[in-house]
Amino acid sequence: MRPSTYGAVVSAVSFCRVGDAPGTATRPADGSASLRGRHGLLLTLLAGQLMANVDSSIVNVGIPALRADLHTDGAQTELIVGVYILFYALLLPAGARLGGMRGYRSAYILGVLMFTASSLVCGLAPSAPVLILARAVQGASAALMVPQILTGIQLAFTGAARTRALGLYAVTLSAGAVLGQILGGLLVSADLVGLSWRPAFLVNVPIGVALVLASRRLLPPGGHREAGRLDVRGMTVLAVAMVLFVCPLVFGREQGWPPWSWLSLLAGGPAFLVFVRLERAVAARGHRPFVNLDVLRAPAVAWGLICVAAGQTTYVAMMFTLPLHLQSGQGVSALWSGTVFATWAALFGVAGVYWRKIPASAWHLASPSGYGLLAVAYAAIALAVAGGLSGPAALMPLLGLGGLGLGLGFLPLVSAFTDSVSRDQSADLSGMISTVLQLSGVVGVATFGTLYLALAAPAAAPAAAAYPFTVTSTAFAAVAAFATVAAALSMRGRFPAVPRR
């Protein structure tokens, strides 16, 4: 896989094994399929990936309008964003497993149907609880839909055609989240027929219907199906552990940190330990666990995942808090608050394409340097906001610096600890990276979102409104500095004279 694509692909491969049968991933699903038909198949699959990625962030810029319309409190606001990511993360491995057991075509179509229906409910939601429930179903639908996309690419393409398809897949992944911010800003600012934030969800309905029709026509039926069972117990215990940890962070501040919130946080640790013991017991019996913990035996992987988690918490939390700061605190339009992230996406993509141009002897320094640059960018954003420079023109260059840093940090790191595991563990590692990225996003919104909302005063003057985001950005910088140390520990001894590809 080309270095410009593997980082993005491995971050979302989602336990996609394509049947675990030798050779099944190298044969086109339909040998008689025309080139035009395979191009249509690829477009159909990538459109589903784009829809899922866009929806993970499209709501961020509509939050101020949504809060005013539905009268949501801080906890409900965090849940509207976080519950989608939580269900997406928890059910990704299950979605991949179900696709292998039932066939990727059927799983993809069902996922798109569920996603379309839940988007309609989101757009018509009369209250915050209904919207939160619909967002949870959206996340579960995305978890069923997304793993089938890479399976379809692996089955339909070979050789150079697969490389090109994976390149387009990587572009879709990197562009989706920021496109969601921009599209959300456009739709909210347009206030189509007085619907305010609702078109941000309703736009999925015609797209989803078109995808279902195209999928039935273009995706080949049949194909290899896996035997075996889904580790439901492991999935359930992990879900309980995450709920015990996330719920007090989301609801505790609104309720004055009652005793139950502290008890829940304390119970989260033992629940994660139960999950670890359960997964090891499943693996010892020769079955496939929900998460294969054996990949953590390599120190490079363990420190690498800690680093990835730290960086992801800051990134997702920034995409949640910055639009709130710009719109509620500075009076910036929804369109501008979404567009401000464009430089981040652009320079993250530049890092993905060009990081291998760095001399091989310095590759072990690329990741720590990238996360260090990310920490500097967050610190510079905090200083700029504190100094009254909160406009898009001032922030866009600094956000671009952050995107470049995250790209330089993340991509070499993934390459390093992917090479630290055996070939038969690569799919498990890919699934673990994907799950860690998503769950880290939930934790980021819950922790940093709570910090920002606790400091933000309603209707504060612009000068006073700068304080909450200054503090939050400073916290981002501290976490990114920790990620720099974790990256250095992960990269020790990595990349010994690797030839340039």
Side-chain angles (χ1 to χ4, degrees):
M1 188 179 298
R2 290 183 183 275
S4 61
T5 64
Y6 79 88
V9 172
V10 76
S11 71
V13 70
S14 310
F15 286 75
C16 183
R17 292 178 171 79
V18 196
D20 290 335
T24 57
T26 61
R27 294 192 303 269
D30 182 1
S32 63
S34 67
L35 183 62
R36 180 179 300 176
R38 283 190 288 146
H39 285 170
L41 179 149
L42 180 61
L43 181 61
T44 300
L45 293 174
L46 293 184
Q49 179 69 66
L50 186 64
M51 188 166 64
N53 276 28
V54 164
D55 242 70
S56 67
S57 60
I58 195 171
V59 70
N60 288 335
V61 294
I63 284 174
L66 189 152
R67 295 184 74 181
D69 184 26
L70 298 183
H71 308 290
T72 62
D73 57 29
Q76 290 174 326
T77 302
E78 290 180 28
L79 277 177
I80 289 168
V81 175
V83 75
Y84 175 91
I85 307 173
L86 178 62
F87 274 74
Y88 188 9
L90 288 174
L91 297 178
L92 265 172
R97 192 83 172 98
L98 289 172
M101 294 166 61
R102 303 298 181 186
Y104 90 92
R105 179 181 185 269
S106 298
Y108 182 75
I109 292 174
L110 179 59
V112 174
L113 278 171
M114 292 172 57
F115 195 92
T116 303
S118 56
S119 296
L120 179 62
V121 176
C122 285
L124 301 177
S127 63
V130 174
L131 179 56
I132 291 168
L133 180 61
R135 287 283 285 170
V137 177
Q138 261 195 326
S141 306
L144 179 60
M145 174 176 64
V146 166
Q148 320 316 325
I149 294 166
L150 195 59
T151 302
I153 291 174
Q154 290 176 317
L155 288 172
F157 297 92
T158 59
R162 180 185 291 174
T163 300
R164 289 191 295 270
L166 290 176
L168 292 172
Y169 176 66
V171 170
T172 303
L173 285 172
S174 62
V178 175
L179 180 60
Q181 300 281 117
I182 297 172
L183 181 60
L186 282 169
L187 292 173
V188 174
S189 298
D191 193 19
L192 301 173
V193 295
L195 291 177
S196 184
W197 55 273
R198 297 180 185 274
F201 295 109
L202 295 175
V203 70
N204 290 329
V205 176
I207 297 173
V209 170
L211 279 181
V212 170
L213 296 176
S215 298
R216 289 176 61 86
R217 179 174 178 269
L218 295 171
L219 301 189
H224 180 85
R225 297 188 181 186
E226 297 178 16
R229 296 181 301 174
L230 179 67
D231 180 16
V232 176
R233 285 197 302 170
M235 180 179 68
T236 303
V237 172
L238 179 60
V240 170
M242 283 301 302
V243 168
L244 287 172
F245 181 73
V246 171
C247 278
L249 294 175
V250 172
F251 293 106
R253 182 186 64 85
E254 296 284 340
Q255 299 183 19
W257 298 104
W260 72 262
S261 63
W262 298 107
L263 291 173
S264 182
L265 282 172
L266 289 174
F272 278 112
L273 291 178
V274 170
F275 170 73
V276 170
R277 291 176 64 88
L278 178 63
E279 295 302 274
R280 286 177 175 168
V282 170
R285 292 196 297 269
H287 300 305
R288 179 182 295 171
F290 188 67
V291 175
N292 184 0
L293 300 175
D294 286 344
V295 300
L296 296 177
R297 295 181 185 275
V301 174
W303 279 112
L305 287 175
I306 290 171
C307 176
V308 165
Q312 183 74 354
T313 57
T314 64
Y315 168 57
V316 176
M318 183 193 62
M319 294 186 75
F320 174 74
T321 55
L322 182 55
L324 280 174
H325 165 68
L326 291 175
Q327 293 183 59
S328 300
Q330 304 298 317
V332 175
S333 70
L335 175 59
W336 266 113
S337 68
T339 307
V340 75
F341 289 98
T343 53
W344 183 291
L347 288 180
F348 183 91
V350 168
V353 172
Y354 291 108
W355 78 265
R356 289 259 186 185
K357 301 292 185 182
I358 299 171
S361 60
W363 278 358
H364 66 288
L365 300 175
S367 187
S369 300
Y371 280 104
L373 185 60
L374 179 64
V376 170
Y378 283 140
I381 289 171
L383 290 173
V385 172
L389 300 175
S390 289
L395 292 180
M396 287 181 77
L398 299 178
L399 288 169
L401 189 67
L404 180 64
L406 186 61
L408 287 175
F410 174 70
L411 299 169
L413 184 70
V414 171
S415 178
F417 62 68
T418 298
D419 292 339
S420 299
V421 301
S422 61
R423 181 178 295 273
D424 61 353
Q425 290 180 322
S426 60
D428 292 307
L429 177 60
S430 298
M432 185 173 289
I433 294 170
S434 180
T435 302
V436 165
L437 285 170
Q438 298 297 331
L439 293 181
S440 299
V442 177
V443 173
V445 171
T447 53
F448 293 112
T450 296
L451 173 64
Y452 176 84
L453 292 170
L455 297 174
Y467 174 71
F469 193 72
T470 300
V471 174
T472 306
S473 296
T474 303
F476 292 162
V479 174
F482 169 76
T484 304
V485 176
L489 292 171
S490 178
M491 299 291 277
R492 286 185 302 180
R494 300 290 108 195
F495 293 126
V498 180
R500 194 182 298 275
R501 295 181 184 178

